[in-house]
Amino acid sequence: MPYIVSAEEMEGNWIAHVPDLPGCFATHRDREAAISAVPSAVEGYTAWCRSHGLSISGLSSPMVVSEVVRAWFYEPEYEVNAFFASDRPPVSGDEIPEFERLLHATRKDLLGSVSDLNSEDLDREVPGERWPIHGVLLHIANAEWWYMDRMGLGIASSDLPDDAFQRLQRVREHFLSQLKALAGRSGVVTLSGETWAARKVLRRAIWHERDHTDHIAKLRRMIPRSG
């Protein structure tokens, strides 16, 4: 049976997602190159799952591109991201344990990627980059909070700690506590021109953390280590 690929344009790149494998994606500036990289991404994702003790059912060829969505701006600084047909089906309670395992795996990788860095390393600016590593960590926490806020399930922003690691922990604890509530959501929400559903929130959270863990690995190669 063919597997589905959904591609979206985002911040000048194309991201090809595999909906049946949450967090499996390929990114490239060129749309066709991103889509062509999906089979390799599936292999890498399968190996990644295996390394975390996660079992997944394999996908077999051929690959079918079901949707291609271009980015557009609702406001000058708000790029609206894709809502795929695969984002619409409600999340069932039986799926929650799998999403929990994936979220634990992505967080383990993220924290492992910075565990040996001191505060000077975390705050070191990198030419041409928007944030130092500390800023990337805050961005991950803020995005995850924002995804839940779109569904009316976010904590008050005033309750977010200033420290990046504490914020990551606080937001993730709340995110996990709300998974059953997400599973009970059958509708969609549209805010500022962007459509959200529980499955999109989970897709985005897992993709975003994996993507920025790779981003941190890139930044580490670019900064001189202190000490």
Side-chain angles (χ1 to χ4, degrees), residues 28-197:
H28 199 278
R29 300 287 290 183
D30 177 74
R31 182 181 66 193
E32 295 308 314
I35 293 171
S36 296
V38 166
S40 177
V42 169
E43 291 181 8
Y45 181 87
T46 302
W48 174 75
C49 285
R50 215 165 25 237
S51 74
H52 284 282
L54 304 175
S55 60
I56 62 169
S57 55
L59 300 179
S60 58
S61 298
M63 173 181 73
V64 175
V65 179
S66 65
E67 293 180 85
V68 174
V69 180
R70 297 201 71 100
W72 62 281
F73 284 85
Y74 178 81
E75 295 175 345
E77 296 186 3
Y78 182 12
E79 184 179 64
V80 174
N81 300 136
F83 181 80
F84 299 120
S86 56
D87 290 325
R88 184 174 292 276
V91 176
S92 71
D94 291 341
E95 293 178 277
I96 293 302
E98 176 188 359
F99 282 117
E100 287 178 332
R101 288 190 288 268
L102 288 169
L103 288 163
H104 286 309
T106 59
R107 182 51 51 90
K108 181 179 179 180
D109 285 356
L110 175 67
L111 296 180
S113 74
V114 298
S115 62
D116 62 333
L117 299 181
N118 60 33
S119 59
E120 186 177 344
D121 295 325
L122 291 170
D123 289 329
R124 193 182 301 277
E125 299 287 342
V126 180
E129 291 289 326
R130 187 186 305 180
W131 306 295
I133 291 174
H134 182 264
V136 175
L137 296 175
L138 282 172
H139 171 66
I140 294 168
N142 291 341
E144 191 166 297
W145 168 82
W146 191 71
Y147 300 153
M148 293 299 278
D149 185 67
R150 301 300 86 186
M151 300 296 292
L153 296 172
I155 59 176
S157 58
S158 58
D159 290 340
L160 297 176
D162 292 331
D163 177 78
F165 291 99
Q166 292 178 12
R167 184 173 297 199
L168 282 165
Q169 181 177 351
R170 178 74 180 91
V171 172
R172 178 53 58 88
E173 287 174 349
H174 179 75
F175 194 100
L176 292 172
S177 75
Q178 297 300 309
L179 287 182
K180 288 184 179 179
L182 273 180
R185 296 294 184 92
S186 59
V188 301
V189 176
T190 300
L191 296 170
S192 301
E194 183 161 0
T195 301
W196 295 86

Side-chain angles (χ1 to χ4, degrees), residues 200-218:
K200 175 175 174 175
V201 166
L202 289 162
R203 170 175 67 81
R204 292 276 303 225
I206 296 168
W207 157 76
H208 194 248
E209 190 156 51
R210 291 197 75 211
D211 184 52
H212 279 296
T213 299
D214 289 344
H215 182 198
I216 288 171
K218 171 189 169 185

